[in-house]
Amino acid sequence: FDLRGIKNQLALLHPDKASARYLLSACNEQHTGTASFEQLGENLAREIVTFMTQEGLLQSAQRISFLCHSFGSIIARAALDSEQLRHLLPRMHTYLSFSGPHLGMLYFSNPLVELGIWGFSKWRNARCLTELALKDAKTANATYLYALSKSDALHRFRHILLVSSSEDRYVPHHSARIQLCDEAMHDHKHGPAFVSMVHNLLSPLEHSTVLHVDVCFGIVPSLRLAEQLDAAIGRTAHISFLENASFLQVFSQAYLEYFV
């Protein structure tokens, strides 16, 4: 439901409206606070197969694209790693990630978000948050995100769009862009695994079109208390990828070619 804005824009602009089908995933809405990314991915994979079966698309669908936001970017990659979707991998077309924490939440500069992740993971035993912090194993190269980077199916997509914003203080900019950062180069504990994750994710993509899209929302101070709170914790830009109608309209028009 959060992605209805981009879905509606693409549906309006898509030249082949009669044959395009859209699944707004809802299977994990009650589980993202507790389950692991692997389990969330299995849930999504099952939902996709069920949807395609009901729509008669398992054999007829020629191109399959994923549009993801935040945690959903990791959940989609986990789903692609599932045996349930193996037979569909040759038909992958475009993977779009709006501010996805692909490299976890290392080297972050927002102490409020770091504290919130730590507290929520302890209070709710949120496995996926522990995995995002690369604390689900004793060493970084034994964590789930590291393993996922090695078995990632992103190279199956013809086009990969990594959309990020430096104004977004919920997800580290380097993580959303899948790129190195200075902190990693000087970190002897997690740095080597971080560098390996970047290499694992990007090196197989030599035959894919990879676009880094940086967005400046030009966020201005608001008089509304809720919006002031969002700005204070760095959430405003993060949700603007979902709720800024002007951005969604311009983005859909500018990058429509990757979805047709």
Side-chain angles (χ1 to χ4, degrees):
F1 185 71
D2 289 341
L3 286 166
R4 68 196 182 282
I6 186 70
K7 175 262 180 182
N8 290 341
Q9 289 294 331
L10 290 175
L12 286 171
L13 296 171
H14 202 288
D16 195 2
K17 296 179 176 62
S19 63
R21 296 290 183 273
Y22 302 88
L23 165 64
L24 291 174
S25 176
C27 65
N28 286 313
E29 288 185 350
Q30 305 302 318
H31 306 293
T32 51
T34 56
S36 67
F37 277 118
E38 183 175 17
Q39 182 58 60
L40 296 170
E42 290 293 337
N43 294 345
L44 176 58
R46 188 180 308 109
E47 184 182 25
I48 291 170
V49 172
T50 300
F51 172 79
M52 294 185 69
T53 300
Q54 294 173 344
E55 294 287 324
L57 299 172
L58 277 179
Q59 303 300 325
S60 62
Q62 298 178 0
R63 295 177 175 179
I64 302 172
S65 295
F66 282 74
L67 288 76
C68 320
H69 176 256
S70 194
F71 280 25
S73 303
I74 311 297
I75 296 173
R77 287 172 47 206
L80 292 163
D81 196 45
S82 169
E83 289 295 331
Q84 299 183 70
L85 298 188
R86 288 294 179 189
H87 64 293
L88 298 176
L89 291 181
R91 288 182 266 172
M92 295 301 154
H93 185 59
T94 292
Y95 174 89
L96 165 63
S97 167
F98 285 135
S99 196
H102 297 283
L103 302 173
M105 304 292 280
L106 294 178
Y107 316 119
F108 207 16
S109 61
N110 190 332
L112 288 176
V113 173
E114 288 183 315
L115 179 62
I117 290 175
W118 178 84
F120 198 77
S121 62
K122 295 293 184 182
W123 174 48
R124 293 286 303 273
N125 192 28
R127 180 70 176 177
C128 60
L129 291 179
T130 303
E131 291 170 344
L132 274 181
L134 274 71
K135 294 182 179 179
D136 53 306
K138 293 183 178 180
T139 59
N141 59 5
T143 60
Y144 177 75
L145 279 189
Y146 185 86
L148 184 61
S149 75
K150 294 177 66 176
S151 61
D152 209 292
L154 284 181
H155 66 280
R156 297 285 193 160
F157 290 91
R158 292 183 59 189
H159 312 295
I160 298 168
L161 279 65
L162 302 173
V163 188
S164 59
S165 173
S166 59
E167 297 171 294
D168 182 355
R169 299 194 64 229
Y170 248 36
V171 170
H173 198 212
H174 55 263
S175 190
R177 289 174 56 85
I178 312 182
Q179 68 178 23
L180 297 175
C181 62
D182 291 339
E183 295 90 337
M185 305 305 294
H186 297 91
D187 178 13
H188 298 294
K189 183 178 181 180
H190 294 111
F194 184 93
V195 173
S196 293
M197 287 172 62
V198 174
H199 175 76
N200 294 340
L201 286 167
L202 296 183
S203 60
L205 304 182
E206 58 182 2
H207 300 298
S208 303
T209 300
V210 181
L211 295 182
H212 289 94
V213 182
D214 281 328
V215 181
C216 177
F217 290 104
I219 296 170
V220 297
S222 172
L223 297 178
R224 298 176 60 183
L225 181 60
E227 293 178 357
Q228 289 178 3
L229 179 60
D230 283 338
I233 62 178
R235 181 174 177 263
T236 303
H238 193 69
I239 61 174
S240 291
F241 286 112
L242 301 174
E243 299 180 355
N244 189 311
S246 297
F247 160 73
L248 293 174
Q249 184 177 22
V250 171
F251 181 88
S252 300
Q253 292 175 343
Y255 296 96
L256 179 63
E257 63 182 293
Y258 296 101
F259 299 95
V260 297

